[in-house]
Structure formats: C-alpha cells, structure tokens
Amino acid sequence: MRRTPLAAAAVLAAALALPTAQSVARASAAPDPQARAAQVKPRSDAWEARVLKLTNARRKAHGVKPLKASPCADRLAESWTRHMARTQVLEHQSLDPFFDCRNVSSAGENIAYGYETPRALVSAWMHSPGHRANILSRHFHRIGVSGWRATNGQTYATQDFLG
C-alpha cells in the first residue's frame, strides 16, 4: 500500500510520525516487498526496556501505578511492529486479539515511526492527547513494547496496553 498525502493525513490523526523526504521517494520507487521483509531488524531489548522505564516514570509523575511487562501484550506488539516495519505502513491493528490474553477487560495501543531514541518516542507520545491518555490510563496495568527498524532506517514502535 502506498501512502498518499490524504492517507498520510488520516494516519497522523491516529499515530505519530516524523515527516521525511523518504516517504516521497518511497511513493515513486517501492522496493521488492520480500527483500524489504528480509532486512527489517528489531531494536534491542535494552531499547524496549528503556521505553517501558520512561513510560512508567511518566505514570509515576502523574500518580499512576507502573505498568508490568506482559508476555501476551509483548507478542502482539512484536508481531505488529515487525509487520509495520516490513510494509512501511503505519496503522493500528485490531484490538480483538488483545482480549484473548488472560484477564483483559480493556486494551489500547500507541504506534509511531521516525523516533530513534526511547526518550524522543515517549516524549512525542506524551505530547499527543490520545497517546498520553493511553500512557496515563488507570485502566491499564500491563504493557508490551516493541521497536523494529525498517529498511529505510526508520524505527517503528508499538505500545500495547492491557487492563
């Protein structure tokens, strides 16, 4: 799926992205999808742990209990973020599978691309009302975090929340 200016505007309403010249170049010369999929790389566990640590620091500063890492939410975040990096399309996944995790009554998701450091990523989410609401929600108790680097060098990131 190629991104058009209208589609990009719709995506920005739901997720954060840095504008880049690469998105214009991608529209005119899309690489082979199989080659692109073979070259995406996960961000390190330390990178993802830093996102969680910074997220919990923001929650603490606002009097909200910290989130605990969830293997189920982590699997959902990991597979979806890898998919976005492979396709270079920023879009939310269905929340329906989240309710297959144990003891889930609420769910949410933050996605973004173009933020290379955990600090820049969490800061951007905290400056967006919808993303901030997910991070600070008292309904969420568990989280999965994932980051993948696409072949164009952009980092795609996901936070999946369970309550």
Side-chain angles (χ1 to χ4, degrees):
M1 179 163 111
R2 292 189 304 171
R3 187 176 298 173
T4 64
L6 182 57
V11 168
L12 288 175
L16 294 176
L18 288 175
T20 65
Q22 293 166 336
S23 62
V24 174
R26 185 173 2 105
S28 62
D32 174 29
Q34 286 183 329
R36 205 167 48 197
Q39 297 173 16
V40 298
K41 305 246 186 280
R43 297 302 306 246
S44 69
D45 289 343
W47 190 92
E48 293 171 353
R50 182 80 174 136
V51 171
L52 177 56
K53 182 177 181 179
L54 291 166
T55 298
N56 278 333
R58 298 303 200 293
R59 286 174 66 92
K60 182 178 181 182
H62 288 85
V64 183
K65 291 182 182 178
L67 296 163
K68 294 182 179 166
S70 162
C72 187
D74 200 55
R75 281 191 302 277
L76 293 164
E78 196 72 28
S79 65
W80 190 251
T81 310
R82 183 177 59 244
H83 165 77
M84 290 191 299
R86 284 178 175 166
T87 61
Q88 295 181 14
V89 174
L90 187 72
E91 64 184 346
H92 286 281
Q93 64 184 310
S94 168
L95 297 181
D96 291 344
F98 291 40
F99 294 92
D100 293 335
C101 297
R102 299 188 78 194
N103 302 317
V104 174
S105 60
S106 59
E109 178 173 77
N110 287 348
I111 59 174
Y113 83 99
Y115 297 92
E116 291 308 305
T117 68
R119 183 171 303 280
L121 176 65
V122 174
S123 177
W125 277 331
M126 287 299 291
H127 284 92
S128 165
H131 298 95
R132 178 186 178 93
N134 279 341
I135 289 172
L136 299 179
S137 175
R138 295 178 190 279
H139 298 288
F140 298 139
H141 311 288
R142 295 172 286 160
I143 189 171
V145 176
S146 179
W148 280 74
R149 189 181 303 275
T151 57
N152 66 0
Q154 297 273 332
T155 292
Y156 286 75
T158 303
Q159 288 181 316
D160 284 337
F161 301 92
L162 304 176

